[in-house]
Amino acid sequence: MARATLVSSRTVAARPRWQRAAAVALAVGVLTAGLWYGRGVQSAREGATLAPRGTAPTATWFGPTPELAAPSASPSARQSPGRQALLATPGLALRLEDLIGEELGTGSFRDDPEGFKQRLFSRIAQRFPPDQVEAARALVSRYIDHRTALDRLAAAGAKTPEELSEAFEARKRLRQQHFDADEYAALFGADDRLDRYTLARMRIESDKTLSPGQKQAALDEAASIMTPEERRQRQQVQQHLTLQQQTAELNARQASDGERYAARQASFGAEAANRLAALDQQQRQWNQRIDQYALAETAVRQGQMSAPQLDALRQQLFTPQEQLRLPGALALRQSR
């Protein structure tokens, strides 16, 4: 069994927001970013062609190939170095989503799209290099328009590969009305690849006429649509989800440390099992410190401890970085 590359929750939490969002998108594995907004399905049935039952895997597993969008920028603007650099930005769509999320505190873009755009333009000037600002403003303006249009797509609880394919195609056609081909690729190319892979996987796994070997070969071919880095990220996230599920099962039956180590060693190898055992110990120690501090807060409220004593205990128990996590940890403890 392949050994997992595991990271601690602190490592994941330390990543930029767009990377964490990307990890979540990969983790979900069912038309993730493709169905972020509206889960829209239009009536036109231009979905993917199913591969003949029981046949060897072919490209028909993937469904339709993305079409080219009509140009929305002049040739000179399309060739500007600033625009090209902007479109080369990793996680560009999620970076725009971050900007939108930060500005939502001032009002919904649905209530006043043009006013919302103007407020975003000010943020863009602070977040992007000067040579990219003009292109970024033009792009975010159309991004807001496309988000508004996505809201109007009819919502549907798509579950089958055909329904999901319709939702994917409807969203893709709408996006192509707002973005050039290179913009579409920069913003949504990774989404498309993941969506097409997921549709292919659903078709393959539901085909009862395929032998286990044929299914695996078809799954391997389907995965080839993603880039090596996307495949690596997806594998890591899947391994992390497997670990989460296993840990939940171990917690539910109150497994001993020995049982935990044996299960993890079998699934992920001795090295990973050792790291996870160390993380378990760190988590127990963290919980003990949280419990101690929570009891001290109660003592302060009851007049049994002074505020300066509580502050001294906080400094003793937690590093400055850990103190930033303290309010959230206390709220989580209280909710349990």
PDB file of all heavy atoms in Angstrom, residues 36-42 109-110 113 117 141-155 167 170-179:
ATOM      1  N   TRP A  36     -20.150  25.667  -7.364  1.00  0.00           N
ATOM      2  CA  TRP A  36     -20.081  26.592  -6.235  1.00  0.00           C
ATOM      3  C   TRP A  36     -21.335  27.432  -6.127  1.00  0.00           C
ATOM      4  O   TRP A  36     -21.889  27.636  -5.077  1.00  0.00           O
ATOM      5  CB  TRP A  36     -18.896  27.551  -6.427  1.00  0.00           C
ATOM      6  CG  TRP A  36     -17.642  27.023  -5.883  1.00  0.00           C
ATOM      7  CD1 TRP A  36     -17.458  25.910  -5.126  1.00  0.00           C
ATOM      8  CD2 TRP A  36     -16.354  27.599  -6.066  1.00  0.00           C
ATOM      9  NE1 TRP A  36     -16.134  25.767  -4.831  1.00  0.00           N
ATOM     10  CE2 TRP A  36     -15.437  26.783  -5.390  1.00  0.00           C
ATOM     11  CE3 TRP A  36     -15.892  28.728  -6.721  1.00  0.00           C
ATOM     12  CZ2 TRP A  36     -14.089  27.065  -5.352  1.00  0.00           C
ATOM     13  CZ3 TRP A  36     -14.549  29.002  -6.694  1.00  0.00           C
ATOM     14  CH2 TRP A  36     -13.656  28.173  -6.015  1.00  0.00           C
ATOM     15  N   TYR A  37     -21.775  27.988  -7.266  1.00  0.00           N
ATOM     16  CA  TYR A  37     -22.818  28.993  -7.212  1.00  0.00           C
ATOM     17  C   TYR A  37     -24.046  28.503  -7.964  1.00  0.00           C
ATOM     18  O   TYR A  37     -24.007  28.319  -9.158  1.00  0.00           O
ATOM     19  CB  TYR A  37     -22.335  30.310  -7.835  1.00  0.00           C
ATOM     20  CG  TYR A  37     -20.960  30.670  -7.408  1.00  0.00           C
ATOM     21  CD1 TYR A  37     -19.907  30.726  -8.308  1.00  0.00           C
ATOM     22  CD2 TYR A  37     -20.686  30.898  -6.060  1.00  0.00           C
ATOM     23  CE1 TYR A  37     -18.626  31.034  -7.890  1.00  0.00           C
ATOM     24  CE2 TYR A  37     -19.413  31.202  -5.641  1.00  0.00           C
ATOM     25  CZ  TYR A  37     -18.396  31.276  -6.560  1.00  0.00           C
ATOM     26  OH  TYR A  37     -17.124  31.574  -6.148  1.00  0.00           O
ATOM     27  N   GLY A  38     -25.150  28.311  -7.269  1.00  0.00           N
ATOM     28  CA  GLY A  38     -26.421  28.050  -7.908  1.00  0.00           C
ATOM     29  C   GLY A  38     -26.691  26.602  -8.250  1.00  0.00           C
ATOM     30  O   GLY A  38     -27.839  26.230  -8.376  1.00  0.00           O
ATOM     31  N   ARG A  39     -25.664  25.774  -8.433  1.00  0.00           N
ATOM     32  CA  ARG A  39     -25.832  24.404  -8.880  1.00  0.00           C
ATOM     33  C   ARG A  39     -26.821  24.389 -10.047  1.00  0.00           C
ATOM     34  O   ARG A  39     -27.777  23.616 -10.090  1.00  0.00           O
ATOM     35  CB  ARG A  39     -26.305  23.512  -7.736  1.00  0.00           C
ATOM     36  CG  ARG A  39     -25.392  23.537  -6.545  1.00  0.00           C
ATOM     37  CD  ARG A  39     -25.834  22.605  -5.461  1.00  0.00           C
ATOM     38  NE  ARG A  39     -25.547  21.219  -5.784  1.00  0.00           N
ATOM     39  CZ  ARG A  39     -24.381  20.624  -5.563  1.00  0.00           C
ATOM     40  NH1 ARG A  39     -23.392  21.301  -5.052  1.00  0.00           N
ATOM     41  NH2 ARG A  39     -24.186  19.376  -5.863  1.00  0.00           N
ATOM     42  N   GLY A  40     -26.546  25.279 -11.030  1.00  0.00           N
ATOM     43  CA  GLY A  40     -27.525  25.513 -12.079  1.00  0.00           C
ATOM     44  C   GLY A  40     -27.570  24.424 -13.129  1.00  0.00           C
ATOM     45  O   GLY A  40     -26.577  23.816 -13.483  1.00  0.00           O
ATOM     46  N   VAL A  41     -28.769  24.176 -13.617  1.00  0.00           N
ATOM     47  CA  VAL A  41     -28.966  23.245 -14.716  1.00  0.00           C
ATOM     48  C   VAL A  41     -29.931  23.899 -15.686  1.00  0.00           C
ATOM     49  O   VAL A  41     -31.009  24.334 -15.296  1.00  0.00           O
ATOM     50  CB  VAL A  41     -29.570  21.913 -14.225  1.00  0.00           C
ATOM     51  CG1 VAL A  41     -29.820  20.994 -15.401  1.00  0.00           C
ATOM     52  CG2 VAL A  41     -28.645  21.241 -13.235  1.00  0.00           C
ATOM     53  N   GLN A  42     -29.560  24.007 -16.951  1.00  0.00           N
ATOM     54  CA  GLN A  42     -30.479  24.487 -17.966  1.00  0.00           C
ATOM     55  C   GLN A  42     -31.021  23.291 -18.734  1.00  0.00           C
ATOM     56  O   GLN A  42     -30.478  22.193 -18.673  1.00  0.00           O
ATOM     57  CB  GLN A  42     -29.789  25.473 -18.913  1.00  0.00           C
ATOM     58  CG  GLN A  42     -29.427  26.785 -18.194  1.00  0.00           C
ATOM     59  CD  GLN A  42     -28.763  27.751 -19.127  1.00  0.00           C
ATOM     60  OE1 GLN A  42     -28.133  27.343 -20.089  1.00  0.00           O
ATOM     61  NE2 GLN A  42     -28.904  29.027 -18.837  1.00  0.00           N
ATOM     62  N   PHE A 109     -22.775  42.475  -3.424  1.00  0.00           N
ATOM     63  CA  PHE A 109     -22.614  42.906  -4.808  1.00  0.00           C
ATOM     64  C   PHE A 109     -23.925  42.732  -5.570  1.00  0.00           C
ATOM     65  O   PHE A 109     -24.134  43.331  -6.616  1.00  0.00           O
ATOM     66  CB  PHE A 109     -21.470  42.155  -5.493  1.00  0.00           C
ATOM     67  CG  PHE A 109     -21.714  40.678  -5.689  1.00  0.00           C
ATOM     68  CD1 PHE A 109     -22.456  40.207  -6.753  1.00  0.00           C
ATOM     69  CD2 PHE A 109     -21.172  39.758  -4.818  1.00  0.00           C
ATOM     70  CE1 PHE A 109     -22.672  38.853  -6.938  1.00  0.00           C
ATOM     71  CE2 PHE A 109     -21.374  38.404  -4.986  1.00  0.00           C
ATOM     72  CZ  PHE A 109     -22.131  37.946  -6.055  1.00  0.00           C
ATOM     73  N   ARG A 110     -24.837  41.916  -5.059  1.00  0.00           N
ATOM     74  CA  ARG A 110     -26.119  41.716  -5.730  1.00  0.00           C
ATOM     75  C   ARG A 110     -27.025  42.947  -5.584  1.00  0.00           C
ATOM     76  O   ARG A 110     -27.871  43.193  -6.421  1.00  0.00           O
ATOM     77  CB  ARG A 110     -26.808  40.473  -5.173  1.00  0.00           C
ATOM     78  CG  ARG A 110     -26.040  39.183  -5.459  1.00  0.00           C
ATOM     79  CD  ARG A 110     -26.664  37.994  -4.755  1.00  0.00           C
ATOM     80  NE  ARG A 110     -25.951  36.757  -5.066  1.00  0.00           N
ATOM     81  CZ  ARG A 110     -24.880  36.339  -4.422  1.00  0.00           C
ATOM     82  NH1 ARG A 110     -24.399  37.061  -3.409  1.00  0.00           N
ATOM     83  NH2 ARG A 110     -24.278  35.219  -4.753  1.00  0.00           N
ATOM     84  N   PRO A 113     -24.256  46.110  -7.867  1.00  0.00           N
ATOM     85  CA  PRO A 113     -23.066  45.568  -8.527  1.00  0.00           C
ATOM     86  C   PRO A 113     -22.044  46.622  -8.927  1.00  0.00           C
ATOM     87  O   PRO A 113     -20.842  46.430  -8.726  1.00  0.00           O
ATOM     88  CB  PRO A 113     -23.635  44.848  -9.758  1.00  0.00           C
ATOM     89  CG  PRO A 113     -25.053  44.546  -9.392  1.00  0.00           C
ATOM     90  CD  PRO A 113     -25.492  45.679  -8.529  1.00  0.00           C
ATOM     91  N   LYS A 117     -18.298  47.050  -7.469  1.00  0.00           N
ATOM     92  CA  LYS A 117     -17.110  47.004  -8.327  1.00  0.00           C
ATOM     93  C   LYS A 117     -16.164  48.156  -8.010  1.00  0.00           C
ATOM     94  O   LYS A 117     -14.942  47.960  -7.941  1.00  0.00           O
ATOM     95  CB  LYS A 117     -17.530  47.071  -9.797  1.00  0.00           C
ATOM     96  CG  LYS A 117     -18.224  45.831 -10.320  1.00  0.00           C
ATOM     97  CD  LYS A 117     -18.634  46.056 -11.768  1.00  0.00           C
ATOM     98  CE  LYS A 117     -19.450  44.913 -12.302  1.00  0.00           C
ATOM     99  NZ  LYS A 117     -19.886  45.136 -13.704  1.00  0.00           N
ATOM    100  N   SER A 141     -14.507  43.079 -12.922  1.00  0.00           N
ATOM    101  CA  SER A 141     -15.805  43.623 -13.309  1.00  0.00           C
ATOM    102  C   SER A 141     -16.639  42.546 -13.990  1.00  0.00           C
ATOM    103  O   SER A 141     -17.822  42.348 -13.661  1.00  0.00           O
ATOM    104  CB  SER A 141     -15.613  44.821 -14.238  1.00  0.00           C
ATOM    105  OG  SER A 141     -16.861  45.324 -14.653  1.00  0.00           O
ATOM    106  N   ARG A 142     -16.032  41.837 -14.932  1.00  0.00           N
ATOM    107  CA  ARG A 142     -16.759  40.765 -15.609  1.00  0.00           C
ATOM    108  C   ARG A 142     -16.965  39.571 -14.690  1.00  0.00           C
ATOM    109  O   ARG A 142     -17.931  38.814 -14.837  1.00  0.00           O
ATOM    110  CB  ARG A 142     -16.021  40.368 -16.884  1.00  0.00           C
ATOM    111  CG  ARG A 142     -16.241  41.358 -18.019  1.00  0.00           C
ATOM    112  CD  ARG A 142     -15.549  40.982 -19.302  1.00  0.00           C
ATOM    113  NE  ARG A 142     -14.121  41.288 -19.232  1.00  0.00           N
ATOM    114  CZ  ARG A 142     -13.153  40.398 -19.326  1.00  0.00           C
ATOM    115  NH1 ARG A 142     -13.451  39.124 -19.476  1.00  0.00           N
ATOM    116  NH2 ARG A 142     -11.891  40.757 -19.254  1.00  0.00           N
ATOM    117  N   TYR A 143     -16.068  39.387 -13.726  1.00  0.00           N
ATOM    118  CA  TYR A 143     -16.232  38.287 -12.776  1.00  0.00           C
ATOM    119  C   TYR A 143     -17.488  38.514 -11.917  1.00  0.00           C
ATOM    120  O   TYR A 143     -18.241  37.577 -11.653  1.00  0.00           O
ATOM    121  CB  TYR A 143     -14.991  38.177 -11.889  1.00  0.00           C
ATOM    122  CG  TYR A 143     -14.919  36.875 -11.122  1.00  0.00           C
ATOM    123  CD1 TYR A 143     -14.338  35.743 -11.700  1.00  0.00           C
ATOM    124  CD2 TYR A 143     -15.431  36.769  -9.837  1.00  0.00           C
ATOM    125  CE1 TYR A 143     -14.279  34.549 -11.006  1.00  0.00           C
ATOM    126  CE2 TYR A 143     -15.368  35.572  -9.138  1.00  0.00           C
ATOM    127  CZ  TYR A 143     -14.784  34.470  -9.723  1.00  0.00           C
ATOM    128  OH  TYR A 143     -14.737  33.280  -9.028  1.00  0.00           O
ATOM    129  N   ILE A 144     -17.712  39.777 -11.492  1.00  0.00           N
ATOM    130  CA  ILE A 144     -18.926  40.107 -10.745  1.00  0.00           C
ATOM    131  C   ILE A 144     -20.159  39.867 -11.609  1.00  0.00           C
ATOM    132  O   ILE A 144     -21.163  39.308 -11.152  1.00  0.00           O
ATOM    133  CB  ILE A 144     -18.882  41.558 -10.246  1.00  0.00           C
ATOM    134  CG1 ILE A 144     -17.802  41.726  -9.171  1.00  0.00           C
ATOM    135  CG2 ILE A 144     -20.241  41.979  -9.705  1.00  0.00           C
ATOM    136  CD1 ILE A 144     -18.069  40.980  -7.894  1.00  0.00           C
ATOM    137  N   ASP A 145     -20.090  40.289 -12.872  1.00  0.00           N
ATOM    138  CA  ASP A 145     -21.225  40.078 -13.781  1.00  0.00           C
ATOM    139  C   ASP A 145     -21.526  38.587 -13.923  1.00  0.00           C
ATOM    140  O   ASP A 145     -22.697  38.180 -13.933  1.00  0.00           O
ATOM    141  CB  ASP A 145     -20.918  40.673 -15.157  1.00  0.00           C
ATOM    142  CG  ASP A 145     -20.839  42.197 -15.125  1.00  0.00           C
ATOM    143  OD1 ASP A 145     -21.362  42.805 -14.165  1.00  0.00           O
ATOM    144  OD2 ASP A 145     -20.228  42.767 -16.046  1.00  0.00           O
ATOM    145  N   HIS A 146     -20.473  37.788 -14.028  1.00  0.00           N
ATOM    146  CA  HIS A 146     -20.693  36.353 -14.205  1.00  0.00           C
ATOM    147  C   HIS A 146     -21.243  35.725 -12.933  1.00  0.00           C
ATOM    148  O   HIS A 146     -22.101  34.843 -12.980  1.00  0.00           O
ATOM    149  CB  HIS A 146     -19.382  35.698 -14.671  1.00  0.00           C
ATOM    150  CG  HIS A 146     -18.849  34.618 -13.797  1.00  0.00           C
ATOM    151  ND1 HIS A 146     -18.016  34.883 -12.724  1.00  0.00           N
ATOM    152  CD2 HIS A 146     -19.000  33.274 -13.821  1.00  0.00           C
ATOM    153  CE1 HIS A 146     -17.683  33.752 -12.138  1.00  0.00           C
ATOM    154  NE2 HIS A 146     -18.271  32.767 -12.769  1.00  0.00           N
ATOM    155  N   ARG A 147     -20.797  36.222 -11.764  1.00  0.00           N
ATOM    156  CA  ARG A 147     -21.351  35.717 -10.504  1.00  0.00           C
ATOM    157  C   ARG A 147     -22.840  36.042 -10.399  1.00  0.00           C
ATOM    158  O   ARG A 147     -23.641  35.217  -9.955  1.00  0.00           O
ATOM    159  CB  ARG A 147     -20.608  36.340  -9.317  1.00  0.00           C
ATOM    160  CG  ARG A 147     -19.239  35.749  -9.029  1.00  0.00           C
ATOM    161  CD  ARG A 147     -19.339  34.411  -8.335  1.00  0.00           C
ATOM    162  NE  ARG A 147     -20.163  34.489  -7.137  1.00  0.00           N
ATOM    163  CZ  ARG A 147     -19.705  34.766  -5.925  1.00  0.00           C
ATOM    164  NH1 ARG A 147     -18.422  34.975  -5.744  1.00  0.00           N
ATOM    165  NH2 ARG A 147     -20.524  34.798  -4.885  1.00  0.00           N
ATOM    166  N   THR A 148     -23.217  37.241 -10.807  1.00  0.00           N
ATOM    167  CA  THR A 148     -24.630  37.631 -10.786  1.00  0.00           C
ATOM    168  C   THR A 148     -25.447  36.751 -11.723  1.00  0.00           C
ATOM    169  O   THR A 148     -26.550  36.314 -11.387  1.00  0.00           O
ATOM    170  CB  THR A 148     -24.774  39.109 -11.183  1.00  0.00           C
ATOM    171  OG1 THR A 148     -23.983  39.913 -10.299  1.00  0.00           O
ATOM    172  CG2 THR A 148     -26.223  39.548 -11.119  1.00  0.00           C
ATOM    173  N   ALA A 149     -24.902  36.479 -12.909  1.00  0.00           N
ATOM    174  CA  ALA A 149     -25.606  35.632 -13.870  1.00  0.00           C
ATOM    175  C   ALA A 149     -25.717  34.202 -13.361  1.00  0.00           C
ATOM    176  O   ALA A 149     -26.736  33.528 -13.587  1.00  0.00           O
ATOM    177  CB  ALA A 149     -24.885  35.663 -15.214  1.00  0.00           C
ATOM    178  N   LEU A 150     -24.703  33.706 -12.683  1.00  0.00           N
ATOM    179  CA  LEU A 150     -24.763  32.350 -12.141  1.00  0.00           C
ATOM    180  C   LEU A 150     -25.893  32.205 -11.133  1.00  0.00           C
ATOM    181  O   LEU A 150     -26.501  31.141 -11.026  1.00  0.00           O
ATOM    182  CB  LEU A 150     -23.428  31.987 -11.481  1.00  0.00           C
ATOM    183  CG  LEU A 150     -22.302  31.532 -12.399  1.00  0.00           C
ATOM    184  CD1 LEU A 150     -21.024  31.319 -11.608  1.00  0.00           C
ATOM    185  CD2 LEU A 150     -22.671  30.243 -13.126  1.00  0.00           C
ATOM    186  N   ASP A 151     -26.164  33.267 -10.394  1.00  0.00           N
ATOM    187  CA  ASP A 151     -27.258  33.225  -9.425  1.00  0.00           C
ATOM    188  C   ASP A 151     -28.595  32.957 -10.099  1.00  0.00           C
ATOM    189  O   ASP A 151     -29.521  32.437  -9.468  1.00  0.00           O
ATOM    190  CB  ASP A 151     -27.344  34.541  -8.653  1.00  0.00           C
ATOM    191  CG  ASP A 151     -26.228  34.688  -7.636  1.00  0.00           C
ATOM    192  OD1 ASP A 151     -25.564  33.676  -7.338  1.00  0.00           O
ATOM    193  OD2 ASP A 151     -26.015  35.816  -7.154  1.00  0.00           O
ATOM    194  N   ARG A 152     -28.713  33.332 -11.370  1.00  0.00           N
ATOM    195  CA  ARG A 152     -29.991  33.192 -12.059  1.00  0.00           C
ATOM    196  C   ARG A 152     -30.179  31.811 -12.666  1.00  0.00           C
ATOM    197  O   ARG A 152     -31.269  31.488 -13.148  1.00  0.00           O
ATOM    198  CB  ARG A 152     -30.109  34.250 -13.164  1.00  0.00           C
ATOM    199  CG  ARG A 152     -30.186  35.681 -12.615  1.00  0.00           C
ATOM    200  CD  ARG A 152     -30.647  36.655 -13.675  1.00  0.00           C
ATOM    201  NE  ARG A 152     -29.654  36.835 -14.718  1.00  0.00           N
ATOM    202  CZ  ARG A 152     -28.727  37.802 -14.705  1.00  0.00           C
ATOM    203  NH1 ARG A 152     -28.675  38.654 -13.688  1.00  0.00           N
ATOM    204  NH2 ARG A 152     -27.866  37.923 -15.686  1.00  0.00           N
ATOM    205  N   LEU A 153     -29.133  31.007 -12.660  1.00  0.00           N
ATOM    206  CA  LEU A 153     -29.304  29.648 -13.158  1.00  0.00           C
ATOM    207  C   LEU A 153     -30.227  28.889 -12.211  1.00  0.00           C
ATOM    208  O   LEU A 153     -30.133  29.008 -10.997  1.00  0.00           O
ATOM    209  CB  LEU A 153     -27.954  28.924 -13.233  1.00  0.00           C
ATOM    210  CG  LEU A 153     -27.033  29.301 -14.379  1.00  0.00           C
ATOM    211  CD1 LEU A 153     -25.749  28.513 -14.295  1.00  0.00           C
ATOM    212  CD2 LEU A 153     -27.699  29.072 -15.722  1.00  0.00           C
ATOM    213  N   ALA A 154     -31.090  28.079 -12.774  1.00  0.00           N
ATOM    214  CA  ALA A 154     -32.044  27.337 -11.947  1.00  0.00           C
ATOM    215  C   ALA A 154     -31.311  26.355 -11.056  1.00  0.00           C
ATOM    216  O   ALA A 154     -30.457  25.598 -11.509  1.00  0.00           O
ATOM    217  CB  ALA A 154     -33.034  26.587 -12.845  1.00  0.00           C
ATOM    218  N   ALA A 155     -31.627  26.380  -9.762  1.00  0.00           N
ATOM    219  CA  ALA A 155     -31.013  25.444  -8.827  1.00  0.00           C
ATOM    220  C   ALA A 155     -31.606  24.054  -9.025  1.00  0.00           C
ATOM    221  O   ALA A 155     -32.777  23.889  -9.329  1.00  0.00           O
ATOM    222  CB  ALA A 155     -31.250  25.912  -7.395  1.00  0.00           C
ATOM    223  N   ALA A 167     -25.309  20.458 -15.456  1.00  0.00           N
ATOM    224  CA  ALA A 167     -24.959  21.606 -14.616  1.00  0.00           C
ATOM    225  C   ALA A 167     -23.599  22.172 -15.008  1.00  0.00           C
ATOM    226  O   ALA A 167     -23.405  23.389 -15.082  1.00  0.00           O
ATOM    227  CB  ALA A 167     -24.960  21.191 -13.145  1.00  0.00           C
ATOM    228  N   ALA A 170     -23.960  23.976 -18.411  1.00  0.00           N
ATOM    229  CA  ALA A 170     -24.683  25.239 -18.296  1.00  0.00           C
ATOM    230  C   ALA A 170     -23.791  26.315 -17.703  1.00  0.00           C
ATOM    231  O   ALA A 170     -23.758  27.462 -18.172  1.00  0.00           O
ATOM    232  CB  ALA A 170     -25.931  25.043 -17.435  1.00  0.00           C
ATOM    233  N   ARG A 171     -23.050  25.959 -16.656  1.00  0.00           N
ATOM    234  CA  ARG A 171     -22.160  26.928 -16.030  1.00  0.00           C
ATOM    235  C   ARG A 171     -21.019  27.304 -16.965  1.00  0.00           C
ATOM    236  O   ARG A 171     -20.621  28.465 -17.046  1.00  0.00           O
ATOM    237  CB  ARG A 171     -21.609  26.349 -14.723  1.00  0.00           C
ATOM    238  CG  ARG A 171     -20.782  27.321 -13.897  1.00  0.00           C
ATOM    239  CD  ARG A 171     -19.647  26.609 -13.210  1.00  0.00           C
ATOM    240  NE  ARG A 171     -18.829  25.922 -14.183  1.00  0.00           N
ATOM    241  CZ  ARG A 171     -18.143  24.821 -13.904  1.00  0.00           C
ATOM    242  NH1 ARG A 171     -18.203  24.299 -12.703  1.00  0.00           N
ATOM    243  NH2 ARG A 171     -17.416  24.237 -14.828  1.00  0.00           N
ATOM    244  N   LYS A 172     -20.522  26.321 -17.711  1.00  0.00           N
ATOM    245  CA  LYS A 172     -19.422  26.592 -18.633  1.00  0.00           C
ATOM    246  C   LYS A 172     -19.849  27.542 -19.745  1.00  0.00           C
ATOM    247  O   LYS A 172     -19.137  28.499 -20.071  1.00  0.00           O
ATOM    248  CB  LYS A 172     -18.913  25.280 -19.234  1.00  0.00           C
ATOM    249  CG  LYS A 172     -17.711  25.459 -20.157  1.00  0.00           C
ATOM    250  CD  LYS A 172     -17.222  24.120 -20.690  1.00  0.00           C
ATOM    251  CE  LYS A 172     -18.199  23.510 -21.645  1.00  0.00           C
ATOM    252  NZ  LYS A 172     -17.684  22.242 -22.226  1.00  0.00           N
ATOM    253  N   ARG A 173     -21.029  27.315 -20.303  1.00  0.00           N
ATOM    254  CA  ARG A 173     -21.509  28.191 -21.370  1.00  0.00           C
ATOM    255  C   ARG A 173     -21.678  29.615 -20.861  1.00  0.00           C
ATOM    256  O   ARG A 173     -21.362  30.574 -21.560  1.00  0.00           O
ATOM    257  CB  ARG A 173     -22.828  27.647 -21.931  1.00  0.00           C
ATOM    258  CG  ARG A 173     -22.683  26.398 -22.774  1.00  0.00           C
ATOM    259  CD  ARG A 173     -23.972  26.111 -23.533  1.00  0.00           C
ATOM    260  NE  ARG A 173     -25.071  25.821 -22.626  1.00  0.00           N
ATOM    261  CZ  ARG A 173     -25.375  24.616 -22.165  1.00  0.00           C
ATOM    262  NH1 ARG A 173     -24.628  23.575 -22.506  1.00  0.00           N
ATOM    263  NH2 ARG A 173     -26.409  24.439 -21.367  1.00  0.00           N
ATOM    264  N   LEU A 174     -22.202  29.750 -19.650  1.00  0.00           N
ATOM    265  CA  LEU A 174     -22.392  31.084 -19.094  1.00  0.00           C
ATOM    266  C   LEU A 174     -21.048  31.786 -18.903  1.00  0.00           C
ATOM    267  O   LEU A 174     -20.905  32.971 -19.223  1.00  0.00           O
ATOM    268  CB  LEU A 174     -23.150  30.993 -17.774  1.00  0.00           C
ATOM    269  CG  LEU A 174     -23.581  32.305 -17.139  1.00  0.00           C
ATOM    270  CD1 LEU A 174     -24.876  32.125 -16.373  1.00  0.00           C
ATOM    271  CD2 LEU A 174     -22.509  32.846 -16.199  1.00  0.00           C
ATOM    272  N   ARG A 175     -20.076  31.076 -18.378  1.00  0.00           N
ATOM    273  CA  ARG A 175     -18.764  31.685 -18.155  1.00  0.00           C
ATOM    274  C   ARG A 175     -18.104  32.087 -19.463  1.00  0.00           C
ATOM    275  O   ARG A 175     -17.420  33.116 -19.538  1.00  0.00           O
ATOM    276  CB  ARG A 175     -17.874  30.710 -17.393  1.00  0.00           C
ATOM    277  CG  ARG A 175     -18.218  30.615 -15.910  1.00  0.00           C
ATOM    278  CD  ARG A 175     -17.411  29.540 -15.213  1.00  0.00           C
ATOM    279  NE  ARG A 175     -17.513  29.677 -13.764  1.00  0.00           N
ATOM    280  CZ  ARG A 175     -17.042  28.781 -12.902  1.00  0.00           C
ATOM    281  NH1 ARG A 175     -16.432  27.682 -13.338  1.00  0.00           N
ATOM    282  NH2 ARG A 175     -17.175  28.980 -11.607  1.00  0.00           N
ATOM    283  N   GLN A 176     -18.323  31.296 -20.503  1.00  0.00           N
ATOM    284  CA  GLN A 176     -17.715  31.615 -21.793  1.00  0.00           C
ATOM    285  C   GLN A 176     -18.322  32.862 -22.418  1.00  0.00           C
ATOM    286  O   GLN A 176     -17.734  33.444 -23.318  1.00  0.00           O
ATOM    287  CB  GLN A 176     -17.863  30.419 -22.737  1.00  0.00           C
ATOM    288  CG  GLN A 176     -16.965  29.256 -22.339  1.00  0.00           C
ATOM    289  CD  GLN A 176     -17.221  28.020 -23.167  1.00  0.00           C
ATOM    290  OE1 GLN A 176     -18.290  27.855 -23.736  1.00  0.00           O
ATOM    291  NE2 GLN A 176     -16.242  27.133 -23.227  1.00  0.00           N
ATOM    292  N   GLN A 177     -19.491  33.266 -21.948  1.00  0.00           N
ATOM    293  CA  GLN A 177     -20.079  34.516 -22.418  1.00  0.00           C
ATOM    294  C   GLN A 177     -19.388  35.729 -21.798  1.00  0.00           C
ATOM    295  O   GLN A 177     -19.525  36.843 -22.296  1.00  0.00           O
ATOM    296  CB  GLN A 177     -21.571  34.548 -22.066  1.00  0.00           C
ATOM    297  CG  GLN A 177     -22.401  33.490 -22.776  1.00  0.00           C
ATOM    298  CD  GLN A 177     -23.822  33.427 -22.234  1.00  0.00           C
ATOM    299  OE1 GLN A 177     -24.254  34.316 -21.500  1.00  0.00           O
ATOM    300  NE2 GLN A 177     -24.541  32.376 -22.593  1.00  0.00           N
ATOM    301  N   HIS A 178     -18.652  35.520 -20.719  1.00  0.00           N
ATOM    302  CA  HIS A 178     -18.045  36.635 -19.991  1.00  0.00           C
ATOM    303  C   HIS A 178     -16.525  36.703 -20.117  1.00  0.00           C
ATOM    304  O   HIS A 178     -15.940  37.748 -19.819  1.00  0.00           O
ATOM    305  CB  HIS A 178     -18.410  36.559 -18.505  1.00  0.00           C
ATOM    306  CG  HIS A 178     -19.850  36.818 -18.217  1.00  0.00           C
ATOM    307  ND1 HIS A 178     -20.820  35.839 -18.315  1.00  0.00           N
ATOM    308  CD2 HIS A 178     -20.496  37.953 -17.840  1.00  0.00           C
ATOM    309  CE1 HIS A 178     -21.997  36.355 -17.993  1.00  0.00           C
ATOM    310  NE2 HIS A 178     -21.834  37.631 -17.703  1.00  0.00           N
ATOM    311  N   PHE A 179     -15.896  35.601 -20.540  1.00  0.00           N
ATOM    312  CA  PHE A 179     -14.436  35.570 -20.503  1.00  0.00           C
ATOM    313  C   PHE A 179     -13.856  35.039 -21.806  1.00  0.00           C
ATOM    314  O   PHE A 179     -14.432  34.152 -22.453  1.00  0.00           O
ATOM    315  CB  PHE A 179     -13.955  34.685 -19.344  1.00  0.00           C
ATOM    316  CG  PHE A 179     -14.430  35.129 -17.997  1.00  0.00           C
ATOM    317  CD1 PHE A 179     -15.479  34.475 -17.374  1.00  0.00           C
ATOM    318  CD2 PHE A 179     -13.853  36.222 -17.373  1.00  0.00           C
ATOM    319  CE1 PHE A 179     -15.931  34.891 -16.127  1.00  0.00           C
ATOM    320  CE2 PHE A 179     -14.303  36.650 -16.134  1.00  0.00           C
ATOM    321  CZ  PHE A 179     -15.346  35.985 -15.514  1.00  0.00           C
TER     322      PHE A 179
END
